[in-house]
Amino acid sequence: MSFPEGLIAQLRISKNLAVLTGAGVSKESGLRTFRDAQTGLWAQYKPHELASPEAFQRDPKLVWDWYAWRREAVKGVRPNPGHYALVGMEKHVPDFTLITQNVDGLHRMAGSQNVLELHGNIQRVRCADCYTFTEVWDDDTESVPHCKVCGGLLRPDVVWFGESLPRDQLEAAVQAARSCDVFFSIGTSGVVQPAASLGFAAHNRGAVVVEINAEPTPLTPKANYSFHGKSGEILPALVKEVWG
Ligand code: OAD
């Protein structure tokens, strides 16, 4: 695999790099994406019936069980070479921010340090009412487990459709996109806001935009460099080429 000289030179002098990742980065770990035509979760399930506050109000057990199933899937997988390549990249750039829409925690498991989780983390569980986090709950109940503090229903600490993103994570992500000299968009279809606007913000501020994705996205026309393929193959090759 060969990469343009201009990109290699740019990365070697980069002082401030921001990376946005999506479900495509975890696909080679064995997790399903959301929008791939045949295999994506949203090809099989309706988002608003499973990933919204209204769905949880209507049928909390259905929503709880769906996330419990996904939590189990995440427990059974490991980071892939794409995740590890980003750990390597972080070591070479003074100011590095990894912004992820993924709730699987695989970037941190791989060893990435400065990670912003825009959509939460599926392994964390909290009370839907009082927000208290809990490490222990009984999954084998007929109904959704309850909060030990206030008796409210427990829920995954992920962002559902119609909910706000964690403010501190979003503010830091916007700041990173606006101040970086190189912005990577990797494995995301780029259709869910506000994450989708980060690449455009970086481009408008003059950052070099690099996209790595299985297929073109709305960001592709703005990208200075666009690579279509698997992040688990392209990223390790790029990091090796740039930093050896
Ligand atoms: P999507 O499923 O929308 O997009 C995944 C992208 O990764 C697609 O463009 C694929 O072509 C690409 N892709 C697949 N395999 C790849 C690989 N091996 N290497 C590189 N790219 C690959 O997932 P997201 O963009 O992450 O939100 O979705 C954004 C949000 O929509 C999710 O965080 C989730 C979902 O609804 C919430 O649940 C709030």
Side-chain angles (χ1 to χ4, degrees):
M1 206 175 291
S2 71
F3 298 95
E5 282 302 322
L7 173 60
I8 293 168
Q10 183 70 48
L11 287 172
R12 284 189 181 141
I13 59 163
S14 172
K15 299 244 172 312
N16 189 337
L17 203 149
V19 177
L20 172 70
T21 65
V25 164
S26 295
K27 183 149 181 198
E28 288 154 86
S29 290
L31 293 177
R32 291 165 70 174
T33 63
F34 293 94
R35 292 178 185 77
D36 279 330
Q38 304 298 325
T39 56
L41 287 168
W42 295 155
Q44 190 180 347
Y45 305 99
K46 292 197 174 70
H48 286 93
E49 286 175 11
L50 291 164
S52 70
E54 295 77 25
F56 190 61
Q57 231 170 14
R58 200 167 43 237
D59 194 341
K61 181 71 172 145
L62 177 79
V63 173
W64 175 267
D65 284 349
W66 192 66
Y67 279 94
W69 167 68
R70 284 182 56 204
R71 198 182 298 123
E72 281 310 305
V74 167
K75 275 188 192 147
V77 302
R78 307 285 309 157
N80 67 59
H83 293 107
Y84 289 115
L86 291 171
V87 178
M89 200 184 267
E90 183 166 15
K91 293 192 174 124
H92 292 283
V93 182
D95 206 339
F96 181 93
T97 309
L98 178 43
I99 308 157
T100 189
Q101 298 164 89
N102 298 344
V103 296
D104 55 34
L106 288 179
H107 286 303
R108 284 220 175 89
M109 192 190 284
S112 286
Q113 300 290 316
N114 193 22
V115 183
L116 300 172
E117 291 180 323
L118 287 186
H119 292 168
N121 190 309
I122 200 166
Q123 303 296 358
R124 281 196 308 260
V125 167
R126 67 169 171 87
C127 176
D129 293 337
C130 75
Y131 226 99
T132 303
F133 287 91
T134 178
E135 302 282 327
V136 189
W137 63 88
D138 184 5
D139 246 336
D140 292 328
T141 51
E142 288 291 297
S143 61
V144 173
H146 288 264
C147 170
K148 291 202 171 61
V149 176
C150 77
L153 293 178
L154 294 181
R155 57 162 285 179
D157 188 34
V158 299
V159 176
W160 284 333
F161 285 98
E163 291 185 320
S164 305
L165 274 61
R167 197 167 158 177
D168 56 339
Q169 307 290 290
L170 179 59
E171 281 177 3
V174 170
Q175 173 60 23
R178 286 184 178 162
S179 58
C180 66
D181 48 46
V182 181
F183 183 94
F184 274 82
S185 177
I186 311 172
T188 175
S189 56
V191 296
V192 173
Q193 296 293 357
S197 66
L198 294 172
F200 291 88
H203 169 79
N204 290 342
R205 292 285 178 124
V208 170
V209 174
V210 187
E211 183 176 62
I212 300 174
N213 209 65
E215 59 192 5
T217 75
L219 184 64
T220 309
K222 302 284 184 204
N224 301 75
Y225 302 96
S226 204
F227 302 98
H228 296 306
K230 294 180 176 174
S231 53
E233 293 172 1
I234 297 169
L235 270 171
L238 179 63
V239 169
K240 189 164 176 240
E241 178 88 29
V242 176
W243 291 288

